[in-house]
Amino acid sequence: MSGFITERGVKLFIILAIVLYFPAKLEAGEVYKSHYATFCAAHENLSSSLSSDVKKYYLESHAAFMKYLAAERENLAIFHGVLVTRKKEKLYIYRDTLNAILKRRIAELESLHENNGVWFSLKTRDNLARAFAAVNQRVPYDRGEKLRPTFRDADRAWKEYVRAERIFYSIYFKDDQTAPESCDRVLRELRTRDLLLEHKGVAAIKIEKEE
């Protein structure tokens, strides 16, 4: 009974965090309402389909994701209103990165719920580990300053999120122990893309200030 109460309490806490805390901390336009509604639905669909043993690890992963998203929001605030061009596409780092992170989480949850393997189909580069390490170290120094505290917080939260994801995947795919590694590669690929965009945004701010 106590285990049931604890699990139910954790679930209620997560739901309240999503429904109350998350929207209250996001200003209009930061995350599209349609994305947020889809995110809530995808979370509930997957959560309700899991057994109690697996759900525990999913909720821990979900809580880690929410913490990472909040930390990333604070980190990216420096780029509020910064417009850059990537592959001839105009992007606002702050808004578009937050929306991209949310959309990716939706894609992951929906793929897990449908059990279609789409989440693992993202192509990753052979030199991803080296590229990630290089970008991860370079980004905060482009403005000639020490590591931004918000960047450190976001990076720490992201690493905690990846660890929670790996644990969840090892439980969810108990018959396929390659799943945690596959999940890790995908998350690192996506994180590298975000950091590359942030790197370009930092450079844009530097040029803007010099002019």
Side-chain angles (χ1 to χ4, degrees):
M1 179 64 72
S2 61
F4 172 77
I5 294 174
T6 301
E7 180 186 337
R8 185 178 181 184
V10 171
K11 182 178 179 180
L12 288 174
F13 175 79
I14 296 297
I15 292 175
L16 285 174
I18 294 174
V19 175
L20 299 177
Y21 175 81
F22 189 54
K25 291 294 182 179
L26 290 174
E27 300 172 2
E30 288 183 333
V31 170
Y32 298 133
K33 291 182 179 179
S34 59
H35 293 169
Y36 175 71
T38 305
F39 167 67
C40 290
H43 163 67
E44 185 57 34
N45 288 339
L46 179 60
S47 179
S48 62
S49 69
L50 299 175
S51 65
S52 59
D53 292 340
V54 177
K55 186 184 296 185
K56 171 188 174 183
Y57 296 98
Y58 166 68
L59 292 177
E60 289 176 356
S61 169
H62 188 70
F65 168 77
M66 297 299 290
K67 182 179 179 181
Y68 160 61
L69 185 60
E72 195 66 273
R73 175 183 179 270
E74 295 299 321
N75 175 50
L76 293 172
I78 190 175
F79 303 114
H80 213 311
V82 175
L83 175 66
V84 301
T85 301
R86 185 179 66 176
K87 296 181 180 179
K88 298 182 180 180
E89 181 183 7
K90 292 182 178 180
L91 296 169
Y92 285 94
I93 295 176
Y94 180 77
R95 182 198 66 196
D96 293 334
T97 302
L98 289 176
N99 277 288
I101 291 171
L102 198 60
K103 286 175 65 179
R104 293 165 186 167
R105 182 66 172 174
I106 292 170
E108 177 188 6
L109 300 183
E110 290 181 341
S111 178
L112 289 174
H113 186 246
E114 297 295 331
N115 193 28
N116 56 24
V118 172
W119 177 243
F120 292 141
S121 66
L122 179 68
K123 293 182 179 179
T124 56
R125 291 163 287 183
D126 293 337
N127 64 341
L128 177 59
R130 186 167 63 179
F132 175 82
V135 175
N136 190 43
Q137 294 177 14
R138 185 176 69 235
V139 171
Y141 290 103
D142 280 341
R143 295 174 68 229
E145 61 185 23
K146 295 180 179 179
L147 281 166
R148 296 194 306 273
T150 55
F151 180 87
R152 289 200 303 268
D153 292 342
D155 196 51
R156 188 180 302 113
W158 180 81
K159 290 173 181 175
E160 292 176 358
Y161 163 51
V162 172
R163 281 195 293 269
E165 280 277 87
R166 287 180 63 94
I167 294 172
F168 165 59
Y169 272 70
S170 67
I171 301 298
Y172 187 74
F173 294 98
K174 60 182 180 180
D175 296 327
D176 181 8
Q177 291 306 305
T178 64
E181 293 298 330
S182 297
C183 174
D184 187 88
R185 284 195 299 272
V186 170
L187 292 176
R188 287 168 70 89
E189 171 71 36
L190 298 175
R191 176 72 168 153
T192 302
R193 292 181 186 181
D194 291 341
L195 288 172
L196 284 169
L197 181 58
E198 182 177 342
H199 169 58
K200 189 169 184 176
V202 174
I205 288 178
K206 186 176 181 181
I207 293 172
E208 188 177 277
K209 287 190 174 183
E210 288 177 349
E211 293 176 348

